[in-house]
Amino acid sequence: MFSQRELERYKRQMILFGEEGQERLKKAHIFIAGAGGLGSPVSIYLAVAGVGTITIVDMDVVDQSNLNRQILHFGRDIGRKKTASAEEKLRELNPDITVNAIDAKIEESNAAKLIGNADGIVDAMDNYPTRYLLNDVAIAKAIPLFHGGIRGFYGQATTIIPGTTPCLKCIFPKAPPKEVFPVVGVTPGIIGTIQANEVIKYLTGSGKLLTNRLFIWDGMEAHAEELCVERNPACEACSGMTTTKTARKKK
Amino acid sequence: MTVKIRFFARFRELLGTDIVTDIPPGTMFTSLITTIARKNPAGYAAIFDENGAFHEFVILMKNGKRIDIADAAKTAIADGDEIAVFPPVAGG
């Protein structure tokens, strides 16, 4: 059941997916790994769309050098935990949702517990080792993983439905070396918004998901394209999973 | 034979993209990319290690199908093939 305020707030999007779709958003729990460049637009758009429970995890404090892209955080937040800053902004953006902001480093020992029984995992991380942990939990619990990555003016995104689509390790079996990556804020803005769009489509059962496709954005050329990606039968992460089409019907 | 090579992300910055080139029959995947990448030392170093092997994280595709790095040296390129070479983008 929605309050009058919620009905009014969501009126324009309920034209798209009805009260039933909005109810699905409200009942959903989305786990966002990272409150940085990608996590900012992802969490903002999922909060204002009315995703009922958002868990957002980060271990860092806000730094001046984050502010060119991490739009959840303001100058006044420098030195604060990103989770505290994120929680405050998201609650203000939508007081009708629940926000769990957890100050933690995602590790092998805690990843499954942190993710719990979320309906979707958003990869808003800045490194592959942690992404692979999210991928492992997504596979173990059959939870969709919404991947995004950026560098400079370039970005990529794909939606992973474990057992149906390639997993992150099928597509990227080896991590690239760590680096301090260049980035202009619009790039995670574009890719994070695509990830949030995928989550909303998945939860409401709308449209065609970005599955079996790697979306590639070239901001220098203002050009987007996609590459077909396939499961790797020898994938060390997901080859044991049998093909299933049930994940999306769970909702 | 004419083939097209497409680089993405950082590789594109260093080497350009949509490179159409004539190659002799029997050219292999690795030798083709080696020749193209040598035009820019930074581009070469981004894709290949000091032994001339692909960095293990590099993704190779031919006509939309994945090519394993281990198979690239013996994967022949045919007329009209479209080659894609890209790195995982890691930032967030």
Side-chain angles (χ1 to χ4, degrees):
Chain A
M1 279 295 287
F2 292 104
S3 67
Q4 200 53 45
R5 180 170 77 180
E6 288 176 296
L7 289 173
E8 191 62 25
R9 176 187 280 271
Y10 304 130
K11 192 163 75 177
R12 296 281 285 271
Q13 64 193 48
M14 286 197 294
I15 299 170
L16 297 171
F17 38 70
E19 198 167 325
E20 190 198 338
Q22 193 64 48
E23 193 69 42
R24 289 184 183 197
L25 292 180
K26 186 172 181 165
K27 285 182 177 162
H29 174 201
I30 294 296
F31 180 91
I32 303 172
L38 290 170
S40 289
V42 169
S43 61
I44 288 170
Y45 277 111
L46 294 185
V48 298
V51 169
T53 304
I54 292 174
T55 296
I56 186 161
V57 178
D58 205 294
M59 57 178 269
D60 283 331
V61 296
V62 179
D63 185 82
Q64 185 83 252
S65 66
N66 300 149
L67 301 184
N68 78 321
R69 64 195 183 280
Q70 301 185 14
I71 56 174
L72 262 181
H73 314 301
F74 305 160
R76 67 169 196 254
D77 299 313
I78 290 167
R80 283 178 87 195
K81 280 286 183 183
K82 286 187 184 175
T83 42
S85 164
E87 187 171 357
E88 177 190 303
K89 311 304 176 5
L90 296 173
R91 281 189 201 284
E92 205 166 335
L93 279 164
N94 191 345
D96 292 319
I97 63 166
T98 301
V99 179
N100 305 315
I102 302 172
D103 175 29
K105 182 179 185 187
I106 299 171
E107 296 177 301
E108 194 172 356
S109 60
N110 66 2
K113 194 173 173 209
L114 286 169
I115 291 165
N117 60 355
D119 299 299
I121 302 167
V122 179
D123 165 12
M125 293 312 305
D126 61 358
N127 69 87
Y128 271 81
T130 313
R131 284 188 168 99
Y132 291 144
L133 291 179
L134 301 177
N135 188 54
D136 287 344
V137 176
I139 291 164
K141 299 191 178 196
I143 300 173
L145 174 64
F146 302 90
H147 163 73
I150 52 108
R151 184 187 193 281
F153 282 95
Y154 301 101
Q156 65 188 30
T158 190
T159 295
I160 294 162
I161 309 292
T164 300
T165 71
C167 78
L168 197 64
K169 275 230 158 171
C170 293
I171 306 170
F172 301 112
K174 301 285 182 187
K178 278 192 171 177
E179 62 165 343
V180 176
F181 57 89
V183 57
V184 61
V186 289
T187 308
I190 288 163
I191 298 299
T193 308
I194 286 169
Q195 291 174 281
N197 189 54
E198 287 295 293
V199 172
I200 291 167
K201 287 190 313 183
Y202 170 75
L203 293 174
T204 58
S206 310
K208 182 183 169 194
L209 293 171
L210 189 54
T211 48
N212 303 306
R213 299 178 283 152
L214 182 69
F215 174 90
I216 297 182
W217 167 246
D218 177 343
M220 291 296 273
E221 294 288 326
H223 185 66
E225 58 194 298
E226 60 184 47
L227 293 172
C228 289
V229 287
E230 295 177 334
R231 286 188 76 179
N232 174 6
C235 176
E236 63 182 66
C238 77
S239 59
M241 276 196 105
T242 50
T243 300
T244 170
K245 303 264 183 205
T246 58
R248 194 175 181 191
K249 291 175 184 155
K250 188 177 73 167
K251 293 303 300 175
Chain B
M1 308 198 304
T2 303
V3 296
K4 182 153 103 175
I5 300 108
R6 314 197 61 220
F7 292 112
F8 293 86
R10 176 137 179 81
F11 300 168
R12 179 175 292 188
E13 284 177 348
L14 296 164
L15 295 163
T17 192
D18 292 351
I19 299 163
V20 177
T21 185
D22 283 320
I23 55 168
T27 300
M28 299 296 164
F29 197 115
T30 303
S31 57
L32 169 65
I33 302 305
T34 303
T35 305
I36 300 288
R38 282 221 169 101
K39 290 170 183 168
N40 178 346
Y44 182 86
I47 296 174
F48 294 101
D49 66 20
E50 61 276 14
N51 301 316
F54 284 105
H55 287 301
E56 61 177 10
F57 59 84
V58 176
I59 310 298
L60 309 174
M61 292 181 107
K62 186 177 84 158
N63 302 327
K65 291 281 181 191
R66 188 69 163 268
I67 303 292
D68 273 358
I69 284 176
D71 299 331
K74 53 181 191 294
T75 298
I77 304 299
D79 187 40
D81 278 354
E82 186 168 304
I83 306 298
V85 181
F86 60 101
V89 176

